[in-house]
Amino acid sequence: MKHLIDPTDLSVQEISDIIALAEDIIANREQYSDACRGKKLATLFYEPSTRTRLSFTAAMMELGGDVLGFADARSSSVSKGETVQDTTRVINCFADIIAMRHRIEGAPLAATEVSRTPIINAGDGSHSHPTQTMTDLLTIKRELGTLNNLTIGFVGDLKYGRTVHSLIKAMARYENTKFVLISPPELALPDYIKREVCDRYGIAYTESNDIESVIGNIDVLYMTRVQQERFTDMAEYERVKDCFILDAKKMRGAKERMAVLHPLPRVNEIAIDVDSDPRAAYFRQVENGKFVRMALILRLLEWQRDESRTTDHGGRFIEGCKCPNPVCISNHEPVRSRFEESQFEPGVIRCVYCETKCN
Ligand code: CP
């Protein structure tokens, strides 16, 4: 079974194929209006969402299919203690494909262990958000014409920002990618991504604590919100929440051909005077999200019949090993813990569900 849990579940070729399909859907929308007739998508959203849930819904509707699910887990039997895996088994009886968002990291991966239908990770805690990444890749391709030879500046919350983690993993596989990481020290990119992604692919990255000094070298400026909901210490949130604000004055130092992306929602990290700048691509990015999700639904349903395509996150049970991440699914539900040794940090063992270092 092919699922989408992490951007690296898709090869570069599969990503190109999905982007090409999304571009064809944009050009020939009416040709796809019956492509999923008789199929059902379940949207299981255990955490709030506007764009991801509604763009999945709109995507399936535009393909002629139907949508069921919940937008608030409190209105489902989850509130009575039903596990992610049992809920998945139940939804398998009603739907052909599942998009799941969860506050608990690794929950969609746990669902794949029992599912008879494709599972799409629609965002798991601070860990990963691969359909946002597909949205971002389509947007970069449409705005700049290429995914190669780009310098991408990530701004804001690089620690908890799952969209940042996923886009870094995806972009690292393209030619001559460079990253500029712009964050306060408290919200710096997790070390495992620097080691497992940047070092693995030999990606050059620099770190900065201001936008102005680096904006002139950047092709894609990826702004992010400081996510209040991920902080346990509200004083720390108050200290860092307004660290980086992009405004029209700062945009004057940017390249003429540059794209500003933001997964949204924004709070105040992009001033509204940037919205009218032609380089502000974040609302076009939202619409791209619907088209790329249409392409993903089509391909995952098609690949379900192709035995050569599988999603395997590997790992094995290690006696005495426990994931220290309090928001990992292995600490919340009765799943069998799985770990794997890092290829790039000798001796380091990571949890397969959330990639947290366990020794
Ligand atoms: N970008 C994104 O994931 O937005 P939502 O939280 O509104 O789905």
Side-chain angles (χ1 to χ4, degrees), residues 45 48-53 101 122 129 132 162-163 225 262-265 293:
F45 276 60
S49 166
T50 297
R51 274 145 296 275
T52 311
R53 188 176 67 81
R101 168 168 293 190
H129 195 349
Q132 180 64 48
R162 59 193 174 198
T163 62
R225 173 176 68 97
H262 191 312
L264 304 178
R293 288 180 176 104

